[in-house]
Amino acid sequence: MLKALITTRLCSLYNSVFYKTPFKKSRNIAFRIFIGFFVLYAAASFLFMFGSFFYSICKPMVSSGFAWLYFSIAAITAITLCFVGSVFLTKAQLFDAQDNDLLMSMPIPPGYILFSRILLLFAVNYVFEFFVLVPAIVVYCINFRATAGEIVIFAAEFLLLPLIPLTLSCIFGWLLAVISERLRYKSFFITFFSLIILGFYFYFMFQVNRYLQSLIQNFSSIGEKIRNYVSPLYHFGAAVSDKNVLSLAVLLLCAIVPFTVMYAALSHNFIRIATAKKGITRVRYREQPMKVSSPGAALLKKELLRFSSTPVYILNTALGVAFILVFAAALIIYRDIPDMFINEFPQLTPYLYTILIAIICFLSSTNFISAPSISLEGKSLWILQSLPVDGSDVLLAKAKLHMVICLPAVILASLACIIAVEMSLFQILLTLLLPATFTVFCALFGVIINLQFPKFDWINETVVIKQSLSTGIAMLSFMAATAIPVLVYVFLLIKVISSELFMLICLFVYGILCLLMYRYLRTKGSAVFSFLG
């Protein structure tokens, strides 16, 4: 029974990438090569980033006799990345999965259901850990000769370490699930809490160079604090650097014992938590005149309600809106930012407004609200297909959702650029029209990509929003649609045509593509939608 549950999870993971539709029987070899290339590129980027970090601290620490601290910092980094990367996924997978009621209605022990899901989360933590600990040991081996004993102990710790962040993620996810039982405005709470975490994350990233210098200058005092107050991390480093079997045993106990207690507690309370009534808003009925709206407006309202009630949807697909608003506010509050840029790079003075437009387009490309919108219908897709409306109205409502959320921020940022930088009338028109047209392009393209690569057999929305193929392709395509024109102009056309003319050409190209995609959704896209499911 447990084997069947695990196999089901693995099959679901496989089908999320290689999904078959009535129009495409299977993915061809070229498509699988593309996916493999994308995975290799992402992995190489993470490995290079963490490899650079460990390369900067390895020699100073190990040469000063603090090899254990070097490995302890690697463990801290891995635990933090695993926890941040999986904490909300843990809550969604364990307690908010759509098939909870179905599985618990069967003669399956709750512990088996829990174990099958924790096993996949364990695999996710291994992936995050790989990107941190592998560069750490490779950098150490390059700079110093690692013995066979050090490699063996490090490998054993590599297998044990994910138990610590997984235990923390499960406890934290459990607390969130318990709180949401008693919370009336659950979506607002989760969104607000997530934004706080993201705020701390971005603050840390902006200060990372200062922290790194402080770490190198004060690693002796930092090491003493880790030794005294974070014993498991000290033993992680000491086990490798000193080949200390006792430290390895201590780490083993610190990883396995809390995980075992947590698993036993969750197994005992799993049914109660998973079936508990979440925060329900009670509304007193008030008689009001019935409002009549067009099918398009009704569908758009339905999309807006879905978007506003799903924190994972907001945080993962519309975070670029916040970045755009911050960018606009910075230009309005700090009027001297363009002047400071020009003083630093005077040769870019003629291209200042072009750079501002490119920044707005890039920030807009980080929004992909429309990309998972069809897949999010899940098992309720048949309801939309059975409505007395054309399928194109449903698809365009999902594109309009993207526009309604993103366009106001984009237009505000364009106005901020116009206020901050002196422009001609033609440049003002380009500043207003090009980012707005690009946003419309992203909205329509996201729906079309999701129409070609849907996923309806998801267990929770997080899988569709963060891990589906359509969102991955959309993110890469949006960024490529911003980067490729910039690279073409800088390396090929900068001496041939003016930036105004090139921007006008880009506006024309994006406009034509928007018209073609709109026509596709009105014709063939509607037919494809009717056969989905």
Side-chain angles (χ1 to χ4, degrees):
M1 189 177 295
L2 179 61
K3 181 180 178 182
L5 286 172
I6 296 174
T7 303
T8 301
R9 301 293 175 205
L10 295 176
C11 290
S12 176
L13 181 64
Y14 177 84
N15 290 332
S16 67
V17 177
F18 303 108
Y19 177 79
K20 298 180 181 180
T21 71
F23 294 90
K24 297 184 179 181
K25 298 301 181 182
S26 62
R27 306 302 186 195
N28 54 31
I29 299 299
F31 177 80
R32 294 171 186 263
I33 293 175
F34 169 77
I35 296 298
F37 175 79
F38 170 69
V39 171
L40 289 175
Y41 171 78
S45 299
F46 277 103
L47 291 173
F48 176 78
M49 178 178 67
F50 286 108
S52 301
F53 169 72
F54 289 118
Y55 185 80
S56 63
I57 66 174
C58 182
K59 279 188 177 181
M61 287 187 178
V62 178
S63 301
S64 302
F66 284 86
W68 70 266
L69 180 59
Y70 170 77
F71 289 108
S72 295
I73 290 174
I76 294 172
T77 307
I79 290 173
T80 304
L81 183 63
C82 290
F83 177 77
V84 173
S86 63
V87 59
F88 289 103
L89 179 62
T90 300
K91 177 182 178 297
Q93 284 281 350
L94 297 186
F95 309 112
D96 294 339
Q98 280 201 336
D99 62 348
N100 272 341
D101 293 338
L102 176 62
L103 291 177
M104 285 185 289
S105 67
M106 300 178 181
I108 303 175
Y112 284 11
I113 302 173
L114 187 65
F115 183 82
S116 66
R117 290 176 178 166
I118 285 181
L119 192 63
L120 284 187
L121 294 172
F122 198 59
V124 171
N125 281 337
Y126 268 132
V127 173
F128 286 128
E129 183 194 31
F130 176 85
F131 292 134
V132 177
L133 293 190
V134 168
I137 192 62
V138 169
V139 169
Y140 180 80
C141 291
I142 291 174
N143 290 279
F144 302 93
R145 182 174 296 178
T147 64
E150 291 174 333
I151 298 296
V152 171
I153 293 176
F154 186 84
E157 292 181 328
F158 182 91
L159 298 176
L160 289 173
L161 191 64
L163 290 174
I164 297 176
L166 184 57
T167 303
L168 297 174
S169 298
C170 289
I171 294 173
F172 198 84
W174 186 5
L175 291 176
L176 285 177
V178 171
I179 292 173
S180 66
E181 292 178 22
R182 299 166 174 81
L183 210 59
R184 182 175 180 182
Y185 300 104
K186 181 182 69 172
S187 299
F188 174 79
F189 168 77
I190 295 177
T191 303
F192 179 75
F193 185 79
S194 302
L195 288 174
I196 291 176
I197 293 179
L198 285 173
F200 279 113
Y201 169 76
F202 286 116
Y203 175 80
F204 173 78
M205 292 304 295
F206 283 127
Q207 301 291 329
V208 66
N209 289 330
R210 185 168 65 87
Y211 292 148
L212 183 59
Q213 293 176 359
S214 177
L215 175 64
I216 295 175
Q217 295 171 1
N218 305 288
F219 56 75
S220 178
S221 60
I222 293 174
E224 191 65 27
K225 291 180 180 179
I226 291 177
R227 185 199 299 266
N228 294 332
Y229 299 109
V230 197
S231 178
L233 297 177
Y234 164 72
H235 288 291
F236 181 96
V240 180
S241 61
D242 302 334
K243 294 182 284 295
N244 191 330
V245 179
L246 179 60
S247 292
L248 181 62
V250 172
L251 179 66
L252 180 69
L253 292 175
C254 292
I256 293 180
V257 173
F259 177 80
T260 304
V261 174
M262 177 275 303
Y263 178 76
L266 283 184
S267 298
H268 181 71
N269 295 276
F270 182 71
I271 294 179
R272 184 184 63 82
I273 298 174
T275 58
K277 293 182 178 180
K278 310 304 180 184
I280 300 174
T281 303
R282 295 183 178 181
V283 181
R284 178 177 296 179
Y285 174 75
R286 293 180 181 178
E287 184 177 355
Q288 294 178 349
M290 182 176 292
K291 296 180 180 179
V292 179
S293 59
S294 64
L299 289 169
L300 177 58
K301 182 179 180 180
K302 175 253 181 190
E303 296 295 332
L304 286 169
L305 289 173
R306 174 61 179 270
F307 177 80
S308 61
S309 63
T310 311
V312 175
Y313 198 5
I314 298 172
L315 293 169
N316 288 277
T317 64
L319 196 59
V321 174
F323 294 149
I324 296 172
L325 293 175
V326 170
F327 173 72
L331 285 177
I332 294 173
I333 297 172
Y334 303 102
R335 297 287 188 88
D336 58 342
I337 289 179
D339 295 332
M340 293 171 58
F341 180 81
I342 292 302
N343 292 335
E344 188 73 22
F345 305 99
Q347 68 275 16
L348 297 179
T349 303
Y351 309 103
L352 179 58
Y353 97 98
T354 307
I355 294 172
L356 293 175
I357 292 176
I359 291 174
I360 298 174
C361 290
F362 173 76
L363 294 176
S364 181
S365 70
T366 60
N367 299 310
F368 53 97
I369 298 170
S370 61
S373 57
I374 300 175
S375 297
L376 283 172
E377 298 298 335
K379 297 177 182 178
S380 302
L381 179 68
W382 66 272
I383 298 177
L384 288 177
Q385 292 173 328
S386 63
L387 292 176
V389 296
D390 191 78
S392 61
D393 292 330
V394 176
L395 298 176
L396 289 174
K398 297 181 180 300
K400 290 176 184 176
L401 171 68
H402 187 114
M403 300 178 203
V404 168
I405 301 299
C406 300
L407 272 178
V410 169
I411 294 173
L412 180 63
S414 298
L415 292 174
C417 292
I418 294 171
I419 294 172
V421 179
E422 185 177 351
M423 300 182 188
S424 65
L425 179 60
F426 183 63
Q427 291 173 340
I428 290 175
L429 291 175
L430 285 176
T431 304
L432 288 172
L433 293 177
L434 184 53
T437 305
F438 179 78
T439 302
V440 175
F441 164 81
C442 293
L444 295 170
F445 186 81
V447 175
I448 291 176
I449 286 297
N450 199 198
L451 194 62
Q452 302 302 315
F453 304 99
K455 176 177 173 57
F456 301 114
D457 58 342
W458 46 270
I459 298 174
N460 59 77
E461 292 132 338
T462 306
V463 175
V464 176
I465 295 169
K466 299 180 68 173
Q467 302 174 12
S468 65
L469 184 61
S470 61
T471 56
I473 294 177
M475 284 189 290
L476 288 177
S477 301
F478 295 166
M479 292 184 181
T482 308
I484 291 175
V486 173
L487 295 176
V488 168
Y489 183 73
V490 170
F491 291 103
L492 298 178
L493 302 177
I494 193 170
K495 296 182 179 179
V496 179
I497 60 177
S498 65
S499 60
E500 288 85 356
L501 179 58
F502 182 75
M503 303 284 271
L504 182 62
I505 294 172
C506 291
L507 177 61
F508 178 77
V509 171
Y510 287 135
I512 293 297
L513 290 174
C514 288
L515 290 175
L516 292 175
M517 289 188 291
Y518 176 82
R519 179 178 175 80
Y520 173 83
L521 292 177
R522 277 294 186 190
T523 55
K524 188 177 179 180
S526 178
V528 174
F529 177 77
S530 63
F531 284 98
L532 290 179

